[in-house]
């Protein structure tokens, strides 16, 4: 019997974190661009992963059924009853309440299986050896931090337990809010993909850290706007710690400080950047005429003074 759908053999996790009010999925596989087919999430609605011999329609259809108010077991049943080849599918569905449902078809490539706990489901197929779902669940349960960090710990544990029989190629992670919001973008906290890499988990970890740096910088900007200088310094320090060589973040921090009234600090930071690359000074000059930065003509003149 021939199957026309994509063979995304992999391991993945779906989870709900009530403390941070987030839910998400993470996956790694020896498969190009696994993030484009396996994980599906919608803020306030739920998360679906579809893998093994993938029926990618399970993603959007599963989310639509969750949005209609169906519980994960009912969603899973409806997905499988309409499928011609449930024996080769591996699927997991989780709702914001933490209720989940999982399926591993009897013809999924060994080693294959899944494990569900409250607020969590882990699933794997084509593994080098048995025990991957158990290792993932244990690592997630014992880890601390934000949901992204805990799901990443589960991916690392899967590798240590054997991982994909073929090795590594791509990885992805998505984290969304448990609450429904006005737009999907607003409720999407993190959405990262490593399409093709010799070490996709290492690259995914780097991207998670970089994402955290940008999020911290945004907190710094918000704190400055409120006049909370101490809070801004704490947030910017975290951004620098997570991404010490990121000139883009340093540039916008300099302008944010200047716009908040600390023009000398902004000028010093901008001059430091300009010594490494004069184009940052050029960019600042171009911004002066846009009105996007809250500085008057005198402020810009001081900031750009050489």
């Amino acid at each position: 019997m021939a199957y026309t759908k994509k063979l995304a053999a992999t391991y993945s996790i779906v989870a709900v974190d009530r403390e941070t009010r987030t839910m998400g999925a993470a996956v790694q596989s020896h498969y190009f661009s696994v993030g484009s087919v396996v994980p599906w999430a919608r803020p306030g609605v739920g998360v679906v992963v579809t893998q093994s011999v993938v029926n990618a329609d399970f993603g959007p259809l599963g989310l639509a059924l969750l949005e209609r108010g169906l519980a994960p077991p009912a969603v899973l049943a409806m997905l499988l009853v309409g499928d011609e080849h449930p024996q080769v599918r591996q699927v997991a569905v989780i709702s914001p309440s933490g209720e989940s449902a999982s399926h591993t078809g009897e013809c999924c490539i060994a080693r294959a299986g899944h494990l569900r706990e409250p607020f969590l489901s882990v699933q794997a197929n084509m593994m080098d050896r048995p025990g991957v779902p158990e290792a993932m669940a244990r690592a997630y349960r014992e880890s601390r931090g934000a949901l992204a960090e805990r799901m990443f710990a589960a991916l690392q544990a899967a590798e240590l337990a054997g991982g994909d029989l073929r090795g590594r190629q791509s990885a992805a992670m998505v984290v969304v809010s448990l609450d429904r919001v006005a737009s999907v973008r607003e409720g999407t906290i993190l959405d990262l993909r490593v399409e093709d890499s010799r070490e996709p988990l290492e690259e995914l970890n780097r991207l998670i850290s970089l994402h955290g740096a940008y999020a911290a910088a945004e907190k710094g900007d918000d704190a400055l706007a409120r006049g909370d200088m101490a809070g801004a310094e704490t947030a910017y320090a975290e951004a620098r710690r997570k991404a010490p060589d990121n000139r883009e973040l340093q540039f916008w921090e300099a302008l944010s400080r200047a716009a908040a009234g600390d023009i000398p600090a902004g000028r010093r930071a901008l001059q430091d950047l300009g010594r490494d690359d004069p184009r940052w000074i050029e960019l600042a000059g171009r911004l002066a005429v846009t009105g996007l930065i809250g500085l008057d003509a005198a402020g810009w003149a001081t900031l750009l003074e050489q």
Side-chain angles (χ1 to χ4, degrees), residues 98-123:
E99 183 180 12
S100 64
S102 309
H103 165 81
T104 299
E106 64 272 19
C107 292
C108 288
I109 299 172
R111 309 287 185 180
H114 63 263
L115 186 154
R116 289 191 299 116
E117 296 181 0
F119 309 101
L120 171 70
S121 178
V122 289
Q123 39 285 322

Side-chain angles (χ1 to χ4, degrees), residues 170-223:
S170 66
M173 182 180 291
V174 58
V175 177
V176 299
S177 171
L178 288 186
D179 303 310
R180 296 201 185 197
V181 292
S183 69
V184 171
R185 181 175 178 82
E186 181 185 348
T188 301
I189 297 161
L190 179 151
D191 189 359
L192 299 173
R193 294 181 184 178
V194 178
E195 310 290 22
D196 181 53
S197 172
R198 291 179 181 271
E199 298 295 343
L201 289 189
E202 285 79 353
E203 177 62 8
L204 180 61
N205 192 39
R206 186 188 72 83
L207 293 177
I208 292 170
S209 183
L210 185 58
H211 179 275
Y214 275 88
E218 186 172 345
K219 288 181 180 177
D221 293 345
D222 292 342

Side-chain angles (χ1 to χ4, degrees), residues 1 7 15 101 130-131 304:
M1 182 181 296
L7 178 59
L304 296 173

